[in-house]
Every structure is written in C-alpha cells, then in structure tokens.
Amino acid sequence: MMVRALAFDVFGTVVDWRASLIAELQEFGNRQGVQRDWPKFADDWRAGYVPAMDLVRRGELPWTRLDDLHRRILGELLRDAAIEAAEGDIDHLNRAWHRLDPWPDSVAGLYRLRERFTITTLSNGNMSLLIDMAKRAGLPWDCVLSAEIFGHYKPDREVYLGCAKILDVAPDELMLVAAHPSDLRAARDAGLRTAHVERPMEYGPGRKRTAIEPDEFDVTATDLVDLADKL
Amino acid sequence: MMVRALAFDVFGTVVDWRASLIAELQEFGNRQGVQRDWPKFADDWRAGYVPAMDLVRRGELPWTRLDDLHRRILGELLRDAAIEAAEGDIDHLNRAWHRLDPWPDSVAGLYRLRERFTITTLSNGNMSLLIDMAKRAGLPWDCVLSAEIFGHYKPDREVYLGCAKILDVAPDELMLVAAHPSDLRAARDAGLRTAHVERPMEYGPGRKRTAIEPDEFDVTATDLVDLADKL
C-alpha cells in the first residue's frame, strides 16, 4: 500500500458540526429572544442535507452550493418553528457552517499527517465555506477541494476520481479519511484506499454507531492523532 | 476599495523560476556530463510556454496540463541541444517547476497578507505543481487555485471570474497580484482590482522592464512585504 495523499471528509470527521451548531443556535435564540430545542433543531438542519443534495444528484435541481442548500433548509425550519428574524441575522446563522470547531485532535493530527502526505479536504461543503473554516480553526490543508470543483456531490464517483486526477496520483495512491461508512464504501468502489475514523459523539451522546465489517477498510483509527500513529 | 481576497500569479511574482531552473539544469548537466548555456536553455523553456498555451486557448490542443506542456517543450529543447538522457532523468528535470524557490520576501509577505485577506494562487501551473511547490517552499496559501480548475488558461476571463465565484466574492472584491502587466490588464478588464509587484530580476540582470502607465493599477509594490505595508 503506497499512499501519497489523504483526502478528508470534513463535517463530522474533522469538525464537530453538532456542538458548534447548537452553540450558534443558542446564541441566535438569545439574540432573538426565543427558546427552542436547539439540539433537535441542529439535528434537523443536518438531516435536511442528504435529501437536498439528492435533488441535485438526481438532476432535479441545477448545481447548488451547500451554503444555498443550508439556507433553504434553515428557512423551512425557522418557518416550522414560527421564528421570525431579519434576513441579515438568518444569513449570519447560516454561515455558522463556516465557523465549525474542530475535534480536539484534528489540528495536531493534521500537522503530523501533512509531514508525510499531501492532505486535502474532500467535502460536500462549498469552497468558501471550507476556506473560511480552515482559516478560523487553523486546519493546515495543503489544498482545499470540494464537490463544488467537480460539479458533483459525494458519493458520486466523479468526486473521488476527480480528486486523484487533480492531485496527479493513481486512485489507489489516494486514501479517503472519513467517519461515515457510506462515504468510505463509495471511495473504495472508485478504487481509493480508505481510513475509518471513529467519531462516536458526532450525533450526540447515546447514538448507535453504524455497523462496519471488521477489515472492511484499510485502516481504522480512533482519531486523527491515532491515524498519524498508524500511518 | 473593499478587497476581501488576493489572488496571486505565481511564476515570476512569487517564485524566481529563472534562477531555480538554471540551478536544476546545471545539476542535470553535471549528472549527464554535458555543458550547455543553461541560462539560455531556461529562457527558451519559459519562452515556449506562451505559444504552447495558446494552442490550448485557441482549441488546437485539447486541455493539457502545464506539466505536460513543459515536458513537450523540454523534449524539443533537449533534441535541439543534442542531449540524450533517460526518461526518468528528463521527468525529474521537468518537475523542476514543482521545486521553484520563492523570492526572499514572498513567505514573510504572504504570512502578513493572510492575516487580513484570503490568499490564493491563481496560476497557469497545474494543481499538483502548485501544491508541491507550496509544501516545499512553505507558502501559506489559504487555497490553491489554478487554470486547471477552470479549464482555461490566463488571460482568459473565465479564470479571473471563476476565482471570484469560487471564493464567493464580487469581482471587485478580489485583487490580482502579479508582476506581469498583461495578466493584470486582463484581470482589470474582468472587473478585478489589481496590484503590480515589480520583479526586475525575473528575466535576469539587465532586462528592460515592460512599461506601465502611472496609476494603471490600483497598487504598485516593490515586493510582497511592501504590498502588505500598502494594504
């Protein structure tokens, strides 16, 4: 196994979207003077992402950046929750996805991994989202790549193969690092190497983990520092 | 003038391609046991770049990465110079473009500029070339963007406007930083802001500078540290 580059899923794998969104929603609620079940609101916002993306993947929506999909879902959730707010406040809240905090091991792990490998994002987030996030959180990417570059959302194979092509490596010289088995399986089917990172707290405490077969992926790690140890 | 992001031309503006190539060519010559006029060889290699790219821009060649255009020009120059070498040695020499050294002010200037702006490459070099270069030279880009992403070479306007779109800024919130007036003029015509950086040694000592009109560009700087002072 001769891996030259690592491509990282970002939401859930590198950053803790749930805790970050809950904190931003609480702040938003305080400013607006409303109280709701913000953890559930955050989960619903995230849950709207796959169906919205699938509209694009099936061609029922033209190419739409994740920022705009998030904004659309947020508008519906606010309406359902009977929350009225100024457009500027809603836009600021929508950009909470640009301000997600990394898991505690992410920055240290990435610094170690970038000594040996080219490290890139490979996320469904749009480029400006990923760039803003990296700048704020200090994520030391060699390169920021996104579904937006390829005009396809993961798990479309164009994203995995497009990433290998742009990095000028063979598919089996590129390893996808992700917490989500579905993403890893699609990458493996496209010929990439795979590293599974366990993020048991991604969906909050007490959630059941998605089952994976033993040895289903090339490497399994408890976090990005552990991944650096193993690679 | 509300600039939010800076896009940098790379060859000549951020890195000293000529001195770097001459050093690599001398090393190549020593290994092969041949002596030639390496400064002239470097200049000829660079001079082949615009006509080769124009074949792509006019549609006479399908999209071809700069690495492959460089390799093609290098093959012709070696043949004309009656130099025979192993394919592996020629490929290594061709990748000298991935190993160009920055001007002495580049790294310090970029670190200062990235505190206030999103900074990206906007080069005709392919992505893997720019990523390898940044890693080796320690260029702290927030983002690596290239003609390869847009399927167009500068000075096609798709490159300048595509960069603004991906960074999610208006064209006039994006400033091109370049040593070459032709690049800056095309960026300006596409609606971008422009910063001219003087690199009098780009083509070696004693070369005449390209004339520019006073106040033709928004900012003129002697190097990237001076640019940070001025912005």
Side-chain angles (χ1 to χ4, degrees):
Chain A
M1 185 165 82
M2 170 59 196
V3 172
R4 294 172 59 199
L6 306 177
F8 290 76
D9 173 62
V10 172
F11 302 124
T13 302
V14 178
V15 296
D16 179 1
W17 57 266
R18 190 172 187 271
S20 305
L21 287 188
I22 292 170
E24 294 258 0
L25 285 162
Q26 269 163 348
E27 206 182 298
F28 170 80
N30 293 343
R31 257 197 322 271
Q32 305 293 328
V34 294
Q35 276 307 330
R36 296 292 186 278
D37 181 349
W38 299 127
K40 182 176 181 313
F41 195 106
D43 291 337
D44 290 345
W45 200 359
R46 178 65 174 169
Y49 152 85
V50 169
M53 226 164 45
D54 281 346
L55 292 176
V56 176
R57 293 183 60 224
R58 287 196 307 264
E60 294 171 34
L61 262 186
W63 180 258
T64 308
R65 292 179 319 163
L66 191 60
D67 269 349
D68 298 322
L69 296 179
H70 278 151
R71 184 65 179 75
R72 193 177 154 129
I73 303 162
L74 176 59
E76 290 166 15
L77 289 175
L78 290 172
R79 204 180 48 227
D80 293 350
I83 298 172
E84 284 184 27
E87 283 296 302
D89 291 347
I90 301 176
D91 288 341
H92 177 78
L93 177 57
N94 195 55
R95 290 172 65 88
W97 293 92
H98 295 225
R99 298 185 296 266
L100 302 179
D101 291 318
W103 296 106
D105 52 278
S106 293
V107 174
L110 291 176
Y111 268 101
R112 282 184 53 201
L113 289 163
R114 91 191 292 247
E115 286 172 28
R116 264 199 63 193
F117 304 98
T118 294
I119 60 171
T120 182
T121 60
L122 193 63
S123 167
N124 283 335
N126 43 282
M127 293 288 287
S128 66
L129 183 161
L130 296 169
I131 294 165
D132 288 347
M133 176 198 288
K135 229 170 151 71
R136 177 179 172 279
L139 304 170
W141 305 119
D142 290 313
C143 173
V144 175
L145 291 176
S146 151
E148 187 182 12
I149 295 290
F150 306 106
H152 283 271
Y153 279 116
K154 292 190 291 181
D156 289 356
R157 63 193 283 119
E158 285 85 350
V159 182
Y160 309 105
L161 295 177
C163 178
K165 189 174 175 203
I166 273 189
L167 297 180
D168 198 19
V169 299
D172 67 356
E173 293 174 327
L174 177 62
M175 178 176 270
L176 182 76
V177 181
H180 313 118
S182 56
D183 195 3
L184 292 166
R185 285 173 193 141
R188 189 191 55 199
D189 291 346
L192 273 65
R193 300 289 177 178
T194 52
H196 180 242
V197 179
E198 294 167 23
R199 294 296 192 192
M201 292 299 290
E202 177 180 1
Y203 298 99
R207 299 300 179 96
K208 221 170 45 180
R209 302 196 197 173
T210 318
I212 64 167
E213 303 290 318
D215 299 324
E216 191 177 352
F217 304 116
D218 295 308
V219 182
T220 296
T222 54
D223 62 27
L224 297 190
V225 171
D226 183 44
L227 182 66
D229 287 339
K230 288 184 170 155
L231 293 179
Chain B
M1 185 164 81
M2 171 61 195
V3 172
R4 295 172 58 199
L6 305 177
F8 289 77
D9 173 61
V10 173
F11 302 124
T13 301
V14 177
V15 297
D16 179 1
W17 58 265
R18 190 173 187 269
S20 305
L21 286 187
I22 293 171
E24 292 259 0
L25 285 162
Q26 267 161 348
E27 206 182 298
F28 169 81
N30 293 343
R31 258 198 322 270
Q32 306 292 328
V34 295
Q35 277 305 331
R36 295 292 185 278
D37 181 350
W38 299 126
K40 181 176 183 312
F41 196 104
D43 291 338
D44 290 345
W45 201 358
R46 177 65 174 170
Y49 151 85
V50 169
M53 226 164 45
D54 281 346
L55 292 177
V56 176
R57 292 183 60 224
R58 287 197 307 264
E60 294 171 35
L61 261 186
W63 180 259
T64 308
R65 292 179 318 165
L66 190 60
D67 269 349
D68 298 322
L69 295 178
H70 278 151
R71 182 67 179 74
R72 193 177 153 129
I73 303 162
L74 176 58
E76 289 166 15
L77 290 175
L78 290 172
R79 204 180 50 228
D80 293 349
I83 299 173
E84 285 184 24
E87 283 296 302
D89 291 347
I90 301 175
D91 287 341
H92 176 79
L93 177 58
N94 195 54
R95 291 173 64 88
W97 291 91
H98 295 224
R99 298 184 295 266
L100 302 178
D101 290 319
W103 297 105
D105 53 278
S106 293
V107 173
L110 290 177
Y111 268 100
R112 282 185 52 201
L113 290 163
R114 90 190 295 245
E115 286 171 28
R116 262 200 63 192
F117 303 98
T118 294
I119 60 171
T120 183
T121 59
L122 193 62
S123 166
N124 283 335
N126 43 281
M127 292 288 288
S128 65
L129 183 161
L130 296 169
I131 294 166
D132 288 347
M133 176 198 288
K135 229 171 150 71
R136 177 178 173 280
L139 305 170
W141 305 119
D142 290 314
C143 173
V144 175
L145 291 175
S146 151
E148 187 182 11
I149 294 290
F150 306 106
H152 282 272
Y153 279 116
K154 294 190 292 183
D156 288 356
R157 61 193 282 118
E158 286 86 349
V159 182
Y160 308 105
L161 295 178
C163 179
K165 189 174 174 201
I166 273 189
L167 298 180
D168 198 20
V169 299
D172 68 356
E173 294 174 326
L174 177 62
M175 178 177 270
L176 183 76
V177 181
H180 313 119
S182 56
D183 195 3
L184 292 165
R185 285 173 192 141
R188 190 191 54 200
D189 292 345
L192 274 65
R193 300 289 176 178
T194 52
H196 180 242
V197 179
E198 292 166 24
R199 294 297 192 193
M201 291 299 289
E202 177 180 0
Y203 298 100
R207 298 301 179 96
K208 221 171 41 181
R209 302 196 198 173
T210 318
I212 63 168
E213 302 292 317
D215 299 323
E216 192 177 354
F217 305 116
D218 296 307
V219 182
T220 296
T222 54
D223 62 27
L224 297 191
V225 171
D226 183 44
L227 182 66
D229 287 339
K230 288 184 171 156
L231 293 180

